[in-house]
Amino acid sequence: MRTVKEYNGFKYRKDEEYLHVYFEPTPHKKGYIHSFRLLPRPFSSIEEFIINGRVFECSDLQAFEIFDPEKSEHLVRTGIGFTWPNNGLKKFFEVVNVDFDLDG
């Protein structure tokens, strides 16, 4: 299992190639993972950050801990609309782009 951390109210996990953010299921919505492929350089814009992201269906935290986007094509979901509370998307973009310190 990989280490799940919390930032700005979100559960996330980072490996060498990806940042994965977990959205827990609710009574009205399935759980999801928003997975962003990290670049070897800073992102040029938040739009580029978003373009490098994909959404996957995820039923629970245990599945998130072992999630691998390279082996999860069957779980990709398109057209999913959801909100990022507390400016979460912008904050993850800034942290990844400015100082890349999600491990500290």
Side-chain angles (χ1 to χ4, degrees):
M1 279 191 273
R2 297 178 182 120
T3 304
V4 174
K5 297 181 180 181
E6 198 161 319
Y7 173 72
N8 197 40
F10 291 94
K11 289 181 174 59
Y12 77 92
R13 188 168 71 65
K14 183 172 118 0
D15 56 39
E16 288 188 28
E17 294 184 52
Y18 291 93
L19 166 67
H20 309 288
V21 182
Y22 179 58
F23 289 80
E24 295 185 41
T26 68
H28 306 290
K29 202 174 211 178
K30 294 180 180 183
Y32 295 99
I33 298 170
H34 206 144
S35 185
F36 299 93
R37 181 180 291 274
L38 301 174
L39 303 177
R41 59 168 175 76
F43 289 96
S44 61
S45 65
I46 194 165
E47 290 82 11
E48 184 181 40
F49 181 62
I50 293 168
I51 288 168
N52 278 282
R54 295 190 320 180
V55 177
F56 298 84
E57 192 172 310
C58 182
S59 57
D60 56 47
L61 191 57
Q62 291 75 28
F64 176 63
E65 291 172 346
I66 61 171
F67 174 76
D68 180 353
E70 303 295 327
K71 298 177 182 173
S72 302
E73 286 295 319
H74 63 288
L75 298 174
V76 172
R77 298 295 177 251
T78 58
I80 302 293
F82 53 89
T83 59
W84 285 74
N86 304 322
N87 287 321
L89 179 63
K90 183 178 178 186
K91 289 184 180 188
F92 273 108
F93 166 72
E94 289 170 353
V95 169
V96 166
N97 222 31
V98 174
D99 61 9
F100 215 73
D101 189 26
L102 284 172
D103 291 326

